[in-house]
Amino acid sequence: MLVLPWKFTALWDLEFLEPVYQETFAIELNLNSIPFSEQIRLSMEYKGHSLKHKYIPYFLCYDEIIVESKHSKNVARLRRHK
């Protein structure tokens, strides 16, 4: 599990748009020398059938770990109550 420094996670309380979260996360991955690809198109299968739609995760780290980021106002509220 990657634990992000407070300077990055503090941005989450400001309710930025998701592209800003994605960009700052990419910076953190680079700063931590974690190899990654951004928004690559992954093929999907269902019961042996290839699907025409592709899955596009925010990041693929180490060529095998999918990383997604979702912001929730509830998470920001929980942080303030700590």
Side-chain angles (χ1 to χ4, degrees), residues 38-44 52-57 60:
E38 279 188 79
Q39 296 199 348
I40 61 170
R41 299 170 60 86
L42 300 175
S43 299
M44 297 187 297
K52 64 180 180 179
H53 296 285
K54 305 293 182 196
Y55 175 60
I56 306 172
L60 182 66

Side-chain angles (χ1 to χ4, degrees), residues 13-31:
D13 288 343
L14 301 177
E15 298 183 25
F16 282 110
L17 300 174
E18 288 204 23
V20 174
Y21 300 134
Q22 184 175 346
E23 186 176 353
T24 56
F25 196 83
I27 291 168
E28 287 297 328
L29 291 172
N30 277 318
L31 290 173

Side-chain angles (χ1 to χ4, degrees), residues 43-53:
S43 299
M44 297 187 297
E45 289 186 4
Y46 177 76
K47 294 187 176 182
H49 297 273
S50 293
L51 301 179
K52 64 180 180 179
H53 296 285

